[in-house]
Amino acid sequence: MNKIKFFPITALLATLIMSIQTVRADDAAIQNPCTGLSALLALLDRPTVSDSACVVQYGQAVLEAGYQHANLTGTGGGTADNFPEAELRFGLPGHNELVLLPPNDNLQQVPGSPHLQGFSATTVGIKHELGYTKHWLGAVESLFTLPSGSPAFGSRGTGVAFNGIVAYAPSNDTGISLQLGVTSQTNPALAGGGRFTSVNPDITITWLPLWNLQFYGEVYGQNRTGPGLGSGFDADGGVQYLLTPYCEVDLEEGVRLSGNLGGFTHYFGAGMGFLF
């Protein structure tokens, strides 16, 4: 996977985004794919690494939260826990949404080393829906990570990310999402605080056998996982269930495929999502 060429992926995503004919919700002939009884499953960013191509509708809000436990790579192994994995998204006029990711509390335990505990950085951003057709949906987003958080888990400098997201629905109960991002970010101060830029592809496949039950699988990666480091790829999968159209619960599990993206061998997690 280290030899994957990212230019064809970039060109494909750009072509798909530009080819989407803008159709808005006032066109009654085509239903907005981000609305309906299962809307929350389409709207949620968690538990996938990729973000949804849907924006929160104007006047609504989505709250997400979760917990994750990971087994770490390295000779000594160890574990890492983080929570509450909170994300707040607010629907804005013009098919936009405001995104806020507050800090996570992180605890890292490695045998023979002092425990590390601290907060991750705060991230804010905005997403814009480009439009949709019967089978396609496109969006772009910008995210800004503030120089904040603890020396062990925070961001020493400002980070930026630009993502293009295209979702394709072959049928009423299946979906494929392709996200491609470019990020410039800094490591935590205790890890040297160095800056690096990466290209981040992500593909997610979903299956909705019932209106309130969804399964997903995802493969994602970065062509740089740190200053002077090579690529890394991981995979995850899980299940999401709607208790009501406004409340979701989920379970997830992920594994390392190559490189050292995220610093884990595998992880599991659980969470919830709410639509207001």
Side-chain angles (χ1 to χ4, degrees):
M1 289 188 176
N2 293 344
K3 297 183 179 180
I4 286 180
K5 302 298 184 181
F6 290 95
F7 178 75
I9 301 175
T10 307
L12 173 61
L13 187 63
T15 301
L16 290 174
I17 288 177
M18 289 187 294
S19 66
I20 294 175
Q21 297 179 1
T22 302
V23 180
R24 296 303 182 187
D26 55 1
D27 187 341
I30 301 178
Q31 180 181 350
N32 187 334
C34 305
T35 61
L37 198 59
S38 304
L40 184 54
L41 294 177
L43 285 168
L44 286 172
D45 286 341
R46 71 158 296 112
T48 58
V49 173
S50 69
D51 290 338
S52 169
C54 292
V55 298
V56 178
Q57 301 300 297
Y58 178 47
Q60 294 185 324
V62 166
L63 169 64
E64 306 175 21
Y67 163 82
Q68 190 178 95
H69 174 83
N71 289 345
L72 302 176
T73 59
T75 305
T79 61
D81 300 87
N82 75 84
F83 55 89
E85 297 188 338
E87 182 178 29
L88 283 165
R89 297 158 58 200
F90 303 93
L92 302 177
H95 308 282
N96 297 298
E97 72 171 32
L98 177 67
V99 182
L100 171 64
L101 289 90
N104 279 330
D105 187 13
N106 298 268
L107 173 62
Q108 183 173 299
Q109 303 178 77
V110 177
S113 300
H115 294 176
L116 291 177
Q117 185 168 11
F119 290 98
S120 62
T122 298
T123 298
V124 296
I126 191 165
K127 184 195 296 182
H128 174 68
E129 180 191 289
L130 296 172
Y132 58 86
T133 69
K134 183 177 180 180
H135 297 286
W136 295 92
L137 172 67
V140 291
E141 68 176 356
S142 299
L143 301 170
F144 302 91
T145 300
L146 307 181
S148 55
S150 69
F153 300 100
S155 177
R156 187 170 185 176
T158 301
V160 294
F162 300 99
N163 297 319
I165 313 166
V166 169
Y168 171 62
S171 66
N172 291 334
D173 57 3
T174 58
I176 302 171
S177 176
L178 177 64
Q179 175 176 301
L180 185 67
V182 178
T183 59
S184 175
Q185 62 192 89
T186 60
N187 279 337
L190 286 186
R195 180 174 293 277
F196 64 100
T197 299
S198 66
V199 179
N200 315 322
D202 186 304
I203 184 170
T204 304
I205 299 175
T206 59
W207 176 45
L208 186 78
L210 302 172
W211 74 270
N212 60 347
L213 178 66
Q214 180 167 268
F215 297 91
Y216 77 91
E218 178 182 32
V219 176
Y220 61 95
Q222 296 181 190
N223 75 324
R224 294 287 183 271
T225 58
L229 300 180
S231 65
F233 287 83
D234 300 328
D236 62 63
V239 58
Q240 300 169 276
Y241 182 76
L242 290 177
L243 298 175
T244 76
Y246 306 99
C247 178
E248 174 265 7
V249 293
D250 56 69
L251 295 172
E252 60 170 330
E253 184 172 5
V255 297
R256 180 179 69 91
L257 297 180
S258 67
N260 194 28
L261 177 58
F264 56 80
T265 58
H266 65 277
Y267 68 85
F268 65 87
M272 301 184 73
F274 304 90
L275 174 64
F276 301 95

